[in-house]
Amino acid sequence: MINQIINDPHAPEPVGSYPHARRVGDLLFLSGIGPRKVGSKEIPGVTLDANGNITEYDIEVQTRSVFANVMSVLKAAGLGLEHLADVTVFLTNMKDDFSIYNRVYAEYLSAHKPCRTTVEIGSLPTPIAIELKCIAVFPSPNSSD
């Protein structure tokens, strides 16, 4: 059975001791992916005060950046969005952000329709408003995928 760690040099560095993704057999488990930029502390769509507190944010910009990071990790594993089977979305403000995030999500995944769960949480480890946790499936060697 294949058991492989995948780290993508084009995706933001993890904020803890974990890989970007891990392949186990035909499944690829992505760690939580946020909107941060690779090689910097910059978070697209977030304005921080001098103490590092969020003063304003743009959920659409963050969501697009999250998808760019997810696609980068998938690409590093030889996959694309069409290989996603399950997506768990963590939002810090469901009431204000769900409709915007849901519209952007549909732009990326309405054709592929992975299963999805969206939950509101009190905070994330960095000053972000959204994070995705994904599971993808490698195509079988005999498939046309």
Side-chain angles (χ1 to χ4, degrees):
M1 173 182 282
I2 297 171
N3 189 337
Q4 173 187 16
I5 289 176
I6 296 167
N7 284 305
D8 177 13
H10 305 291
E13 300 76 18
V15 295
S17 180
Y18 56 86
H20 286 122
R22 180 180 211 87
R23 180 176 182 175
V24 180
D26 290 337
L27 298 177
L28 182 70
F29 298 89
L30 278 69
S31 295
I33 306 281
R36 290 182 301 117
K37 288 284 189 192
V38 66
S40 81
K41 301 270 187 214
E42 179 190 350
I43 303 170
V46 175
T47 304
L48 303 174
D49 66 17
N51 296 321
N53 299 309
I54 299 171
T55 58
E56 62 181 310
Y57 70 95
D58 183 327
I59 193 64
E60 181 169 349
V61 170
Q62 284 193 54
T63 303
R64 291 185 188 288
S65 186
V66 168
F67 272 104
N69 291 337
V70 166
M71 289 186 295
S72 184
V73 173
L74 289 170
K75 182 178 178 183
L79 300 175
L81 291 175
E82 68 275 13
H83 297 101
L84 288 177
D86 189 67
V87 178
T88 303
V89 182
F90 301 94
L91 294 176
T92 60
N93 188 339
M94 186 79 72
K95 182 180 176 194
D96 292 341
D97 297 342
F98 183 82
S99 63
I100 297 166
Y101 130 78
N102 197 44
R103 177 179 46 78
V104 175
Y105 180 98
E107 290 176 25
Y108 289 90
L109 292 173
S110 64
H112 310 302
K113 299 226 184 298
C115 292
R116 181 181 89 181
T117 301
T118 304
V119 296
E120 181 180 56
I121 59 172
S123 67
L124 287 158
T126 59
I128 60 177
I130 183 170
E131 182 174 282
L132 267 63
K133 172 84 175 91
C134 306
I135 301 171
V137 180
F138 284 87
S140 66
N142 301 338
S143 77
S144 60
D145 234 6

